Amino acid sequence: MPLIVVTTSPRVAPGLLAPAAWRALSAGRVLTGSAGHPCLPYLDEAGITVDVVTPDPAALAAEARTAAVVWLAAQDGDEDLMRAFGRAALALDEPPVVELVPGSYDLPGARLLDLVKVMDRLRRECPWDRSQTHESLVPYLVEEAYEVLETIHEGDYAALREELGDLLLQVMFHARLAQERVVPPGEETDGEDEAAGFDIDDVAAGIVDKLVRRHPHVFSDVAVSGAGEVSDNWETIKAAERAAKGETRTALSGVPMGQPALSLAAQLLRRAGRAGAPAALADDLPAGFGARLFALVRQAQDEGLDPEAELRSAAREYRRRVEEWESTAVEGLGTPTTS
């Protein structure tokens, strides 16, 4: 006879179990060590009796030699208990078969639910996390974004996974702060504060709606000839959205002026060019070093180059040369020359 272990995921609604799990739960006496297991009410409704017991691996292994025993594992997996079951079974002269039946499987993205729970607990229990505001987190948001950029430029895709996680934490943190601004039911509000409150689901819903709306060639019946037409459609849809909101915007509306100056100049030139602004508007800017830098950005774009990427490439090569010089100097071999 088998000892059947049914596992469930805490990231899946407790009543949603695989057919194999329902069959297993009807195969013999069902036991669990978790009095608060979220599946218990659903099993009771289905007419399946579950006895809550103190785990005794040796007794369960012995019982499973003569009758089917089903163990509903805690949602953390009961790993230590599973190992104890295995050792107890192997200690018997005639060990029972131990069968693992996954009751539910995580969907893609399910681990994001864990992040929501962890962030919620940090906000309640960690003094540092409790003290943060949108404003205090700004340096971390910028820093994490640049660290993601660095791993991509270096081709370090193993590090990219970790850095994307750090950046995702910033999104989650800001959403969690915004969630706290939601006005509780029954309290008076002028509407403005209530609109300012949102949670991570609102953030996800907003981007999902936007992506579906702006990709009619994927989610509707619009036909496109290539990536260029997709980009054109995107801008047309954006303009229609702004018009529907009654917004009066220029070609440069929405360009974040707080970004680094090199990328700012490049973005302003791109936006203005798309809008058909005369190229001469970039001529004769106020004299000074800034004007010369702006002209270099314009020249790079005229040559089909990304000025940010070009300067970053030069900076990386300069860093490599300095590091090589330092390494050679430390070895006492003198100062190297560079070609």
Side-chain angles (χ1 to χ4, degrees), residues 59-281:
L60 288 173
E63 181 180 348
R65 290 191 304 177
T66 57
V69 178
V70 183
W71 182 263
L72 177 62
Q75 292 201 307
D76 63 4
D78 272 346
E79 291 186 13
D80 291 340
L81 183 59
M82 294 304 100
R83 284 191 285 270
F85 279 159
R87 289 193 296 268
L90 291 174
L92 297 174
D93 293 334
E94 296 181 11
V97 174
V98 180
E99 180 181 352
L100 179 66
V101 178
S104 54
Y105 298 87
D106 287 347
L107 294 172
R111 294 307 300 268
L112 294 176
L113 299 175
D114 291 343
L115 179 58
V116 172
K117 291 173 63 177
V118 168
M119 186 71 252
D120 183 63
R121 184 169 181 179
L122 290 176
R123 186 64 177 167
R124 287 185 284 109
E125 300 180 18
C126 174
W128 187 90
D129 289 283
R130 276 203 311 267
S131 68
Q132 299 310 304
T133 66
H134 290 299
E135 292 73 21
S136 71
L137 290 173
V138 166
Y140 303 104
L141 177 61
V142 174
E143 178 182 337
E144 299 300 353
Y146 276 118
E147 289 184 2
V148 169
L149 182 62
E150 179 72 6
T151 60
I152 294 174
H153 280 300
E154 292 185 350
D156 189 352
Y157 297 123
L160 177 61
R161 170 184 171 181
E162 179 179 351
E163 298 303 339
L164 285 173
D166 292 342
L167 185 58
L168 178 60
L169 171 60
Q170 296 303 308
V171 175
M172 183 67 246
F173 212 144
H174 283 281
R176 182 62 178 81
L177 292 174
Q179 180 181 338
E180 296 171 11
R181 295 200 303 272
V182 177
V183 178
E187 290 191 11
E188 293 185 1
T189 175
D190 59 7
E192 184 176 347
D193 289 339
E194 187 175 20
F198 56 84
D199 60 20
I200 191 65
D201 286 320
D202 296 317
V203 173
I207 190 60
V208 166
D209 291 345
K210 180 184 292 186
L211 290 173
V212 170
R213 190 169 60 247
R214 294 186 183 179
H215 289 80
H217 56 286
V218 175
F219 300 100
S220 188
D221 55 359
V222 172
V224 294
S225 58
E229 193 171 348
V230 170
S231 181
D232 292 341
N233 286 347
W234 182 282
E235 294 301 324
T236 300
I237 295 168
K238 282 175 61 177
E241 291 170 355
R242 292 194 295 266
K245 295 177 182 177
E247 296 179 0
T248 301
R249 296 167 64 102
T250 71
L252 303 182
S253 295
V255 174
M257 299 300 290
Q259 64 182 299
L262 187 64
S263 56
L264 170 62
Q267 188 174 8
L268 289 172
L269 285 166
R270 281 196 304 272
R271 288 280 195 93
R274 268 203 310 261
L281 293 178

Side-chain angles (χ1 to χ4, degrees), residues 13-82:
L16 299 178
L17 297 176
W22 286 111
R23 289 193 296 270
L25 289 163
S26 302
R29 190 162 75 102
V30 183
L31 309 172
T32 186
S34 305
H37 199 295
C39 283
L40 294 182
Y42 299 92
L43 297 180
D44 182 65
E45 185 178 348
I48 296 174
T49 300
V50 181
D51 294 325
V52 179
V53 300
T54 299
D56 185 339
L60 288 173
E63 181 180 348
R65 290 191 304 177
T66 57
V69 178
V70 183
W71 182 263
L72 177 62
Q75 292 201 307
D76 63 4
D78 272 346
E79 291 186 13
D80 291 340
L81 183 59
M82 294 304 100

Side-chain angles (χ1 to χ4, degrees), residues 269-329:
L269 285 166
R270 281 196 304 272
R271 288 280 195 93
R274 268 203 310 261
L281 293 178
D283 296 338
D284 302 321
L285 294 173
F289 193 72
R292 296 201 297 276
L293 288 174
F294 197 92
L296 285 173
V297 173
R298 181 183 176 190
Q299 178 184 342
Q301 291 199 326
D302 288 345
E303 294 177 10
L305 302 173
D306 178 350
E308 178 76 23
E310 293 298 311
L311 182 56
R312 189 173 297 278
S313 176
R316 293 174 68 82
E317 172 59 18
Y318 177 71
R319 184 181 73 172
R320 185 195 67 78
R321 293 181 180 187
V322 171
E323 290 174 345
E324 181 182 290
W325 169 82
E326 286 181 323
S327 175
T328 306

